[in-house]
Amino acid sequence: MKIAVIIKQTPDTETVVKINDAGNDIVGTGVKYVMSPYCEFAVEEALRTKEKLGGEVVVVSLGPDRVLETIRTALAMGCDRAIHLKDPAYEGGDGQATAKALAAALKTVSPDIVFAGKQAIDGDQSQVAVRVAELAGLAQATIVTALEIAADGKTAKATRRSEGGGEVVELKLPALISCEKGLNEPRYASLPGIMKAKKKEVKELKPAELGLEGQVGAAGAKAKRVKLLPLAERKAGRRIEAETPEAAAAELVRLLREEAKVL
Amino acid sequence: MRFAFTDDQLGFRDSLRDMLANECPPGALRACWTNDTGRVPGLWRKLGDLGLLGISASEEQGGLGLAEVDMVLPLEEAGRAALPEPLVEHAAVAIPIVEAFAPAVLRERWVPRAVTGEVTLTIALDDAPFVLGADSADLVLVWSGGALRAVERSELTLARCRSVDGARRLFSIVSGMGGGESICDGERAIEAARDALDRGALAAAAQLLGLGAAVLDLTVGYVKVREQFGKPIGSFQAIKHHLANALTALEMARPLVYRAAASMAARDASRSIHVSIAKARASTAAQQVARIALQCHGAIGYSTEYDLHLWMKRIWALAAAWGDPARHRARIAAAVLEGEGQVYP
């Protein structure tokens, strides 16, 4: 079975990010980058699929040099080879431009199934995976928390999470699965895995090699981020002073009812 | 000589750090003080899956055939998490000792299963009064009658001894030390005992660096939020000086530990002295960090509900294990005065 997994490198959730002077991006220096956590679920599911049905897992990612470190992490977890879309022309793209490049790269793999995170934790747009499926003509199931692939590799049954419940969908492969927390528990890169990873192939592809010159990155983007808004600063808490616990509780209830209006 | 860790070594350190942060958080460590084994359920096999237990085992026996230099960063991480597993005894000492000194039949019977974590090994040296984790070990290497023997736990009668660190389950062996099978005797056994001491002391030194770093991180975090006189106590120079001294002590000890690991890997003739320098300095540095951490925390540092004591007590225990600073300084002194091996550079 040919299995592909799309991954994105994002700032670590524990990194304190700063907005640049232009106000439209974060300052990259001093930021620790990691694999987006939802992409870790995708890599794990791809590896489990390979362990069950055999085949090969190909990692696909787009971004500058630093992304190679995250690609190596996926290879150390057990993926077989990688495609790195690395070129200045890929930079500054929106969800559509990025999806176009990734879909073209997937075409060189001809996967039976593609795994991706349900969203990246930096932009939080949840656009790329669904657009890739559309552009590549794949069936898709998003926000998947459980997956069963038929032994013949022709169909799959995916359980999706939706607000307040869930649903089960059947898919004809090839298909794209966007992965949600709960689907699996991602493995850690083992020492033998890390040692093998550096010998695995990472193929770089330029836009021209995908027939996408002038169509990716900023040139292919239809939407452009113009401003980043920092989170509003949290107000200081209020201490309730009262003679007795009962009086304090009564005052707390009054504030929740009249000021916070949550009761 | 240029010494730097490879990308593989650094990558595995990061992977192990992430794993231990998730699988061995302070709550799991705290539970080991009161559970039946002193170990985190299921964690040992996961460490085997990660390749950690087989780093120093040969490839023929299913290990990775790597050296002490490859082990030193993972051991630091184990210290950072105050990992309550017999990693030093099993992976850093017993496996390489069995590989180097035991007959083939013993090696083949035990090492492949030790690499995966299916079985646990521990070791009792002649001059160490206690054995760590003997109750949950499958095989204990014991010094008996001038020989090093491999005795299955079921053949031994054990008596539990209290440790200042509740997650370290210590035992003395009451009887059964003469059972099992011989690993080696005579000069070979003396050589094995010396090698075991060097390996254990180096591994403990590496863990002490990680323990010290974790305690320092905890303390720096605390002094940033604990306010007195209207501002964080970390803003006061007295606190800053203390913490700078703690960091300096650790940073001065770190290269000595790495040097000792490189000497062990190269089978340098002076490796025992380098290990003693590393263990003595890492022990005193970590003890100094623990003392400063306790002072900077004030009263809460004495509370068992707060996590500091879990790390601090491991520092106290490990500083004394595998030779305390006085014992290692005596080895260094003997080398200087009697010209046994090259002490510096």
Side-chain angles (χ1 to χ4, degrees), chain A residues 83-140:
Chain A
I83 295 173
H84 185 182
L85 305 182
K86 189 184 84 170
D87 193 89
Y90 289 120
E91 290 174 19
D94 62 355
Q96 176 70 5
T98 300
K100 198 183 277 185
L102 291 169
L106 285 175
K107 210 171 175 184
T108 67
V109 179
S110 301
D112 299 300
I113 190 160
V114 181
F115 294 95
K118 69 157 188 172
Q119 69 194 87
I121 58 155
D122 52 356
D124 270 343
Q125 296 202 48
S126 306
Q127 289 203 20
V128 171
V130 290
R131 286 176 185 265
V132 165
E134 190 66 25
L135 290 167
L138 303 170
Q140 63 175 309

Side-chain angles (χ1 to χ4, degrees), chain B residues 155-172:
Chain B
E155 294 183 58
L156 297 170
T157 306
L158 304 170
R160 176 90 187 265
C161 311
R162 283 192 63 178
S163 168
V164 64
D165 174 2
R168 278 172 70 84
R169 288 171 67 88
L170 297 179
F171 295 85
S172 59

Side-chain angles (χ1 to χ4, degrees), chain B residues 15-324:
Chain B
S15 183
L16 182 62
R17 184 180 295 183
D18 289 347
M19 190 260 206
L20 292 176
N22 291 327
E23 306 283 341
C24 185
L29 175 59
R30 196 173 280 278
C32 293
W33 277 56
T34 51
N35 69 13
D36 291 338
T37 60
R39 301 173 67 172
V40 180
L43 182 55
W44 194 239
R45 289 302 285 262
K46 288 181 184 173
L47 294 174
D49 292 344
L50 220 56
L52 179 62
L53 305 183
I55 285 184
S56 54
S58 62
E59 291 180 71
E60 301 83 71
Q61 304 296 346
L64 296 171
L66 298 174
E68 288 77 359
V69 177
D70 300 285
M71 192 79 182
V72 72
L73 290 179
L75 283 162
E76 262 190 85
E77 292 312 313
R80 184 184 299 276
L83 178 71
E85 304 284 333
L87 183 66
V88 170
E89 287 69 15
H90 176 95
V93 183
I95 289 179
I97 291 293
V98 169
E99 285 263 39
F101 295 93
V105 63
L106 262 178
R107 281 203 304 273
E108 283 158 16
R109 193 187 310 151
W110 289 99
V111 176
R113 291 186 293 150
V115 163
T116 60
E118 183 187 339
V119 295
T120 304
L121 314 185
T122 190
I123 183 163
L125 284 181
D126 64 329
D127 52 355
F130 307 121
V131 195
L132 180 74
D135 63 333
S136 62
D138 300 278
L139 187 73
V140 185
L141 310 191
V142 296
W143 180 269
S144 174
L148 189 63
R149 305 189 68 80
V151 186
E152 292 195 30
R153 193 250 343 256
S154 55
E155 294 183 58
L156 297 170
T157 306
L158 304 170
R160 176 90 187 265
C161 311
R162 283 192 63 178
S163 168
V164 64
D165 174 2
R168 278 172 70 84
R169 288 171 67 88
L170 297 179
F171 295 85
S172 59
I173 300 175
V174 178
S175 64
M177 292 176 78
E181 294 164 76
S182 172
I183 293 176
C184 55
D185 56 17
E187 286 298 314
R188 285 277 288 164
I190 292 168
E191 189 190 337
R194 177 181 128 148
D195 195 36
L197 175 64
D198 287 344
R199 289 176 181 282
L202 171 63
Q207 286 202 321
L208 283 161
L209 292 181
L211 284 156
V215 165
L216 186 55
D217 285 349
L218 186 70
T219 309
V220 169
Y222 180 75
V223 301
K224 283 181 185 169
V225 296
R226 170 75 166 91
E227 292 194 1
Q228 194 56 271
F229 309 113
K231 46 172 114 166
I233 60 171
S235 64
F236 299 126
Q237 207 169 44
I239 297 287
K240 288 181 190 173
H241 282 180
H242 266 324
L243 296 175
N245 287 340
L247 180 65
T248 307
L250 281 178
E251 290 305 317
M252 294 299 280
R254 184 166 280 116
L256 297 173
V257 176
Y258 296 166
R259 161 65 186 272
S263 294
M264 287 290 285
R267 308 306 287 166
D268 187 303
S270 302
R271 61 186 181 280
S272 296
I273 303 308
H274 296 158
V275 167
S276 280
I277 294 169
K279 177 62 166 64
R281 284 299 291 267
S283 297
T284 51
Q287 286 172 311
Q288 184 182 351
V289 175
R291 208 163 40 241
I292 288 170
L294 188 60
Q295 184 158 8
C296 291
H297 273 84
I300 197 172
Y302 289 85
S303 153
T304 53
E305 287 81 7
Y306 187 69
D307 289 337
L308 176 64
H309 82 106
L310 300 170
W311 273 258
M312 214 163 52
K313 287 169 183 169
R314 182 68 55 79
I315 287 174
W316 296 343
L318 275 186
W322 296 101
D324 64 7

Side-chain angles (χ1 to χ4, degrees), chain A residues 72 74-82 193 196-202:
Chain A
R72 291 277 178 220
L75 295 174
M77 288 170 76
C79 298
D80 297 290
R81 63 184 175 93
K196 283 180 200 154
K198 66 181 173 201
K199 294 178 190 146
K200 292 180 179 173
E201 179 194 73
V202 180

